Amino acid sequence: MTGIVVGVDGSADAEEALRWAMAQAGRQDCPLTVLLAWDPKHCPPAVSAVTATAGAEKAGAGTAGEHETEAASYHLLQTAIGRAARLTRPTAMVERVERRDAAEALLDASAEAEMLVLGLHGANRKHRLFAGSVTDICLHRARPTVVVVRSGHLRPTGPVVVGVDGSAASVAALRVAASQARSRETSLRVVHSWLPAAPLYPGGYAGLDLPTLRKAARALLDDCVAQIQKENTDLRVEQVLVESAAAAGLLRMSTDASLLVVGARGHGGFAGLLLGSVSHQCVHHAGCPVAVVRAAD
């Protein structure tokens, strides 16, 4: 798979995602597709505002037609690209506006891509509160790695942090994280959190053999680090064993990170869930962009 797809809709998070995607496409020297999708029922507010003004000027009152909406969508797309390109611009970029559901358009466009980049909160937050956000839908259904960006949380420097637990998804995440660290010329911090969630009652860990669990956790972490160092001999790797629940440990270890990488679902998830609770918490609370990696089928 090659190339990066990024969705824009006029929201602050989406514009930050566009800036991140442009920089990443430059690092990878790969094509970037910038996509804005709209449909009559769920049009980005920025497009609706321009369309309504155009319709009023054209007809004196009433609603503008599809032509005005498409023109407004292109204008929004070009404006967002212009702002983001002040810092960097990929050598190969495709600009697309589609009249269809945003989630479906992004899923189709990224089916053969290496990465899909999205803002955490889109422009149509009121509607998506009930229907499920575009980002949530893509996190559950997209084939490639999904990177989620929040406005004000870009950090150009810092290590790439990845969580491992021995699951297939975490092994895939480890390889993606190593690649990201190399492209950024930074270090890789491999984190394994081995305690379960905090007990609900006093003495809740009393029945656990903590020394044995700690030893097994160390062996798992050592094995993961040895594997990635064998494949990336020139990569600076730091290994961190955290005595806490997985999400809390990853969030704490990524406070200075440029990127946090997690598997879509680790050993703690249920088979019926496509996105685990750890990855979900990281996406919503990390202080840096988060890449969610799915294991190969």
Side-chain angles (χ1 to χ4, degrees):
M1 296 190 294
T2 59
I4 297 172
V5 176
V6 58
V8 299
D9 64 359
S11 65
D13 284 4
E15 292 216 5
E16 200 91 308
L18 177 57
R19 285 190 285 273
W20 191 95
M22 281 189 169
Q24 183 63 30
R27 280 190 292 267
Q28 295 183 201
D29 191 24
C30 70
L32 174 67
T33 298
V34 186
L35 174 62
L36 186 152
W38 66 276
D39 65 63
K41 292 182 179 179
H42 311 125
C43 199
V47 172
S48 299
V50 174
T51 302
T53 301
E57 292 174 351
K58 183 176 180 180
T63 304
E66 182 176 331
H67 176 74
E68 286 81 5
T69 303
E70 187 163 348
S73 298
Y74 272 108
H75 176 74
L76 175 60
L77 184 72
Q78 292 291 332
T79 300
I81 290 173
R83 282 196 288 262
R86 293 172 186 169
L87 300 177
T88 181
R89 188 183 184 98
T91 55
M93 187 165 62
V94 177
E95 303 164 12
R96 289 169 55 179
V97 170
E98 295 188 16
R99 183 181 184 238
R100 59 184 302 200
D101 178 79
E104 295 299 332
L106 288 163
L107 289 169
D108 285 350
S110 64
E112 301 301 324
E114 180 180 350
M115 186 177 289
L116 172 61
V117 185
L118 303 166
L120 178 60
H121 297 298
N124 279 321
R125 298 181 70 173
K126 183 179 294 186
H127 163 73
R128 292 299 181 178
L129 181 65
F130 301 98
S133 75
V134 171
T135 298
D136 283 340
I137 292 170
C138 290
L139 279 168
H140 282 79
R141 294 173 52 192
R143 295 179 181 178
T145 294
V146 179
V147 178
V148 181
V149 181
R150 284 194 293 159
S151 176
H153 289 75
L154 284 185
R155 189 179 292 116
T157 60
V160 173
V161 176
V162 58
V164 296
D165 65 1
S167 65
S170 81
V171 172
L174 181 59
R175 291 197 168 92
V176 168
S179 175
Q180 289 293 319
R182 286 198 311 271
S183 71
R184 287 171 164 74
E185 299 181 344
T186 190
S187 60
L188 175 66
R189 182 179 297 161
V190 185
V191 180
H192 177 50
S193 301
W194 63 274
L195 279 182
L200 298 178
Y201 51 90
Y205 290 140
L208 299 178
D209 185 351
L210 295 183
T212 299
L213 289 176
R214 187 182 295 110
K215 184 177 179 179
R218 171 57 66 183
L220 184 151
L221 180 60
D222 289 345
D223 182 64
C224 289
V225 170
Q227 179 179 337
I228 208 64
Q229 285 186 316
K230 183 178 180 180
E231 299 171 0
N232 304 270
T233 55
D234 59 340
L235 186 62
R236 290 175 291 145
V237 181
E238 173 191 3
Q239 56 187 80
V240 182
L241 192 63
V242 180
E243 296 187 6
S244 72
L250 285 171
L251 292 173
R252 189 167 70 251
M253 289 297 108
S254 63
T255 54
D256 61 341
S258 57
L259 180 68
L260 172 59
V261 185
V262 294
R265 187 181 71 245
H267 281 318
F270 295 97
L273 296 178
L274 297 180
L275 188 69
S277 62
V278 173
S279 49
H280 183 272
Q281 290 180 61
C282 289
V283 162
H284 285 270
H285 300 295
C288 64
V290 179
V292 180
V293 182
R294 212 172 291 286
D297 293 335

